[in-house]
Amino acid sequence: PDRAPCRCLRICAELQELTAAKTTSNFFLFGMTEKSAGNKTKQNFLEIFCSHYHLTLDQEISCGWSADKKYLVKDPGGEKFLLRVSHASEKYPYKQQEFLALKMLEKYDLPLPKPISLTYYKDNEATCMLLSWVPGEALGDRLSKLSPMDQYRLGITAGKILRQLHTIPAPDNIAQWEERFTKKIDRRLKEYTSCSFCLPFSTEILTYITANRHLIHNRPQYFQHGDYHVGNMVLDKNGTLGIIDFDRADYGDPWEEFNRITWCAAASKYFAAGRIDGYFNGDIPKNFWKLCLLYICSDMTGAAAAAVSLGEKETAVVAQTVRDVFSWFEDLDNPIPNWYPCNLNQMSESYHL
């Protein structure tokens, strides 16, 4: 809900251009289309989609918190693609935004999924997004097998990629970040205090948010991945880092993207430190740390409320994240985590993307 106004404003201008460019094949420019068909499509839309693109369903991908269904599909030549299926009519505008964002990012030649087609089946209230396959193994599974130096280098790469994503400015007609994030903080706090799950150190987290929420005043807004952490990164056999899962893409304060560096630090403190050094190129602004911790605390309240609906396993993960944060940030008394800097910082000047 907190992302809707920004997304819709961006979609409006883009879709006016897309609609004007509609072709006789019923496909919009960039492969965007809507379909309303008979009972056959209503019952078998996934089969019909795959048949149209000559694809075969290989396997369902079950990892992640997204409500989307994700499938590995292959063409007749064996080439892999990712198919994401969303089952809710209200999600279609968000999927249009995600598709357009990925299309916009193609010119940067980054290791990201390439958008191929977006089809909405009205009768099923289902959206099918076809993307290129980003090869590799989940980065979180690989980091522990690498040397601390290589973990740090990959963090540098992740930070530099993020910096490039943040060169795309937000539209001029969106609300100021302070207004938007204030609403997000308040919504998260309301949901958290109303849910059945109480975070460890809950009082300290709420106190930190109250004392530091003024730091969001006058912050710039740029494109955001929306969920940037090791869980949405892969590493291929050549050591190339890939970034996946842009379904939460938005515009906002670039530094908010460090709200989930907690996931990175839990996997590797060297990777987390490298990500910060790669992003700032060794020149970290003084006001970064306290604002980063504010975003982390706010994100933890949001994660707590979301985890309740997902089950005990997820609430246990969130609780452990909170304990880690309190250890790293010395009970929130020190905004600089104890894993930063690491003893490999000298590499930040010599390693290049």
Side-chain angles (χ1 to χ4, degrees):
D2 47 280
R3 298 181 182 273
C6 179
R7 288 173 185 259
C8 292
L9 285 168
R10 182 72 183 181
I11 290 169
C12 183
E14 296 284 359
L15 290 187
Q16 285 178 356
E17 297 178 9
L18 292 175
T19 304
K22 187 177 180 181
T23 67
T24 56
S25 64
N26 291 326
F27 278 79
F28 288 110
L29 185 64
F30 305 151
M32 297 174 66
T33 187
E34 294 186 23
K35 290 191 175 185
S36 179
N39 291 334
K40 185 177 180 181
T41 298
K42 188 169 184 178
Q43 295 172 1
N44 305 297
F45 75 94
L46 195 55
E47 293 179 15
I48 291 176
F49 178 89
C50 289
S51 176
H52 178 85
Y53 287 98
H54 306 289
L55 299 169
T56 302
L57 283 173
D58 186 84
Q59 67 182 70
E60 184 173 353
I61 302 169
S62 58
C63 60
W65 282 22
S66 172
D68 288 359
K69 293 285 188 179
K70 294 174 283 188
Y71 302 92
L72 167 61
V73 296
K74 295 181 180 179
D75 69 8
E79 184 174 356
K80 297 178 179 180
F81 300 88
L82 176 67
L83 174 60
R84 299 186 70 115
V85 180
S86 306
H87 289 279
S89 59
E90 63 269 18
K91 285 190 175 183
Y92 183 45
Y94 301 113
K95 290 301 173 182
Q96 289 176 312
Q97 170 71 1
E98 179 184 349
F99 190 87
L100 290 168
L102 287 169
K103 196 68 187 176
M104 178 174 56
L105 291 169
E106 281 189 296
K107 63 183 178 182
Y108 292 91
D109 194 28
L110 294 170
L112 317 173
K114 303 297 187 292
I116 297 170
S117 76
L118 182 69
T119 304
Y120 177 57
Y121 291 90
K122 293 181 179 179
D123 295 332
N124 302 81
E125 296 187 348
T127 302
C128 293
M129 183 185 295
L130 186 64
L131 304 164
S132 65
W133 184 261
V134 180
E137 183 182 348
L139 181 62
D141 296 336
R142 289 282 301 276
L143 279 174
S144 63
K145 304 172 186 176
L146 303 175
S147 68
M149 183 179 295
D150 285 340
Q151 293 175 39
Y152 180 79
R153 284 176 168 171
L154 285 170
I156 290 281
T157 300
K160 288 182 177 291
I161 292 173
L162 185 61
R163 187 78 180 200
Q164 287 183 274
L165 294 179
H166 291 168
T167 60
I168 304 171
D172 292 334
N173 56 351
I174 68 171
Q176 292 295 311
W177 178 243
E178 183 174 12
E179 176 185 343
R180 296 178 59 219
F181 197 74
T182 292
K183 292 179 180 178
K184 180 186 284 191
I185 290 176
D186 293 340
R187 176 181 58 80
R188 284 174 167 174
L189 291 177
K190 181 179 180 180
E191 291 174 353
Y192 169 62
T193 55
S194 300
C195 79
S196 59
F197 176 44
C198 183
L199 290 170
F201 312 106
S202 179
T203 300
E204 291 88 342
I205 292 171
L206 300 182
T207 298
Y208 189 91
I209 292 172
T210 300
N212 292 280
R213 59 190 297 167
H214 66 279
L215 297 174
I216 62 177
H217 176 67
N218 204 30
R219 291 296 302 159
Q221 299 189 82
Y222 288 85
F223 177 82
Q224 295 176 323
H225 173 278
D227 197 17
Y228 201 81
H229 59 81
V230 291
N232 288 326
M233 301 176 189
V234 294
L235 190 67
D236 72 11
K237 61 183 180 181
N238 298 315
T240 300
L241 186 70
I243 312 299
I244 59 175
D245 285 354
F246 280 75
D247 58 311
R248 298 186 183 183
D250 196 6
Y251 294 90
D253 181 0
W255 293 358
E256 190 199 8
E257 296 265 53
F258 289 90
N259 59 356
R260 288 168 194 167
I261 200 166
T262 52
W263 298 88
C264 298
S268 165
K269 62 181 181 181
Y270 304 107
F271 179 86
R275 187 183 144 188
I276 291 173
D277 286 342
Y279 186 87
F280 290 109
N281 196 26
D283 186 18
I284 303 174
K286 291 182 179 180
N287 60 333
F288 167 73
W289 293 111
K290 291 187 72 173
L291 183 52
C292 177
L293 186 52
L294 172 67
Y295 288 141
I296 289 172
C297 288
S298 175
D299 190 66
M300 289 190 298
T301 62
V308 171
S309 63
L310 297 173
E312 292 183 4
K313 181 179 178 180
E314 283 70 24
T315 55
V317 169
V318 174
Q320 184 57 52
T321 299
V322 173
R323 295 186 188 98
D324 289 340
V325 167
F326 265 71
S327 174
W328 297 331
F329 293 91
E330 300 176 5
D331 299 339
L332 305 187
D333 290 331
N334 185 356
I336 303 176
N338 58 19
W339 43 258
Y340 188 89
C342 69
N343 59 6
L344 300 174
N345 279 346
Q346 66 270 21
M347 291 182 56
S348 62
E349 295 181 1
S350 59
Y351 183 72
H352 300 283
L353 182 62

